[in-house]
Amino acid sequence: DRAVVRDQLPERVVQRLDVDLSARQAGLHDAGMQAAYQLARIAKRRPLTPSETNRLMAALQQARMACDAAGLVDGETVGSPKLDELRRLLEDLCVDGGRKVVIFSQWEKMTVMAAAVAEALGLGLVRLHGGVPTAKRGALIDRFREDPGVQVFLSTDAGGVGLNLQCASVLINMDIPWNPAVLEQRIDIHCGSSTDR
């Protein structure tokens, strides 16, 4: 029980890795931000219509998605510097270190891209997202916990509520959610409590 051994556990270590955008990512990000800026200027003069509000949110989402991978936005660009960094991390942590890792992204398509990176390294994985039926989620979690060949657990925030994945020693956030409570939920899933590790 984690509560019993809480004082014997190491402190949580947070490491932020900044990864430069590719030229394609930067272009898509800047286009999204420019569209959002134009709509924000309109909002200073008058309330936005529902259609304009939707366009504003879509523009901001495009900018955020472009930071993960251009392919999330354009549907055709393969890879990204962030996925290259993920490959290096998984080589170090899983291939060389034998550790289990939890990876979160807000976007299911990003978990698909991350899964391709893990599979190319020969790593076993499970992937949980909002489309996975509730009845099947337990089997995925059990497989990650119990199968030493499954070292990677990929999840979206929609699929990751109420999980306990303390068998992993590392949590990788491919993107940081705007809502701090969602980030804490991700950490709680991995650690059991946001102050444990």
Side-chain angles (χ1 to χ4, degrees):
D1 185 321
R2 187 169 287 270
V4 173
V5 297
R6 185 179 313 261
D7 60 335
Q8 300 170 32
L9 295 173
E11 290 295 316
R12 178 173 68 184
V13 175
V14 177
Q15 184 177 10
R16 177 182 165 156
L17 300 175
D18 293 321
V19 180
D20 292 331
L21 300 177
S22 69
R24 179 69 177 145
Q25 284 177 280
L28 291 167
H29 173 271
D30 294 349
M33 291 305 292
Q34 182 60 32
Y37 172 74
Q38 295 299 330
L39 288 160
R41 289 185 62 195
I42 293 169
K44 285 186 173 186
R45 296 191 311 267
R46 62 166 174 78
L48 295 177
T49 66
S51 173
E52 289 168 332
T53 300
N54 289 340
R55 288 191 353 246
L56 173 63
M57 296 308 293
L60 292 171
Q61 181 151 306
Q62 173 181 316
R64 290 190 66 224
M65 291 170 79
C67 291
D68 272 0
L72 293 178
V73 179
D74 67 20
E76 57 189 43
T77 303
V78 177
S80 76
K82 194 175 275 193
L83 290 167
D84 294 340
E85 183 63 32
L86 177 64
R87 184 184 67 247
R88 286 188 284 275
L89 288 170
L90 293 178
E91 285 174 345
D92 182 46
L93 297 166
C94 300
V95 175
D96 297 338
R99 297 167 87 176
K100 288 192 178 247
V101 174
V102 176
I103 301 171
F104 273 103
S105 177
Q106 181 174 350
W107 296 285
E108 181 185 354
K109 189 172 179 183
M110 189 64 181
T111 68
V112 171
M113 293 177 182
V117 170
E119 288 169 343
L121 293 170
L123 298 172
L125 63 92
V126 293
R127 199 168 64 81
L128 179 61
H129 52 83
V132 175
T134 304
K136 294 186 177 184
R137 294 179 184 194
L140 293 177
I141 295 165
D142 290 344
R143 189 165 163 229
F144 178 65
R145 281 188 192 142
E146 298 166 9
D147 185 344
V150 176
Q151 292 176 266
V152 179
F153 188 97
L154 292 144
S155 185
T156 62
D157 295 317
V161 176
L163 303 178
N164 178 337
L165 302 173
Q166 296 174 25
C167 59
S169 58
V170 177
L171 169 66
I172 298 173
N173 288 298
M174 296 300 291
D175 38 71
I176 301 297
W178 278 344
N179 183 339
V182 174
L183 180 59
E184 283 305 310
Q185 173 65 31
R186 289 179 178 183
I187 294 167
D188 288 350
I189 285 168
H190 170 251
C191 297
S193 169
S194 60
T195 60
D196 285 349
R197 297 271 291 263

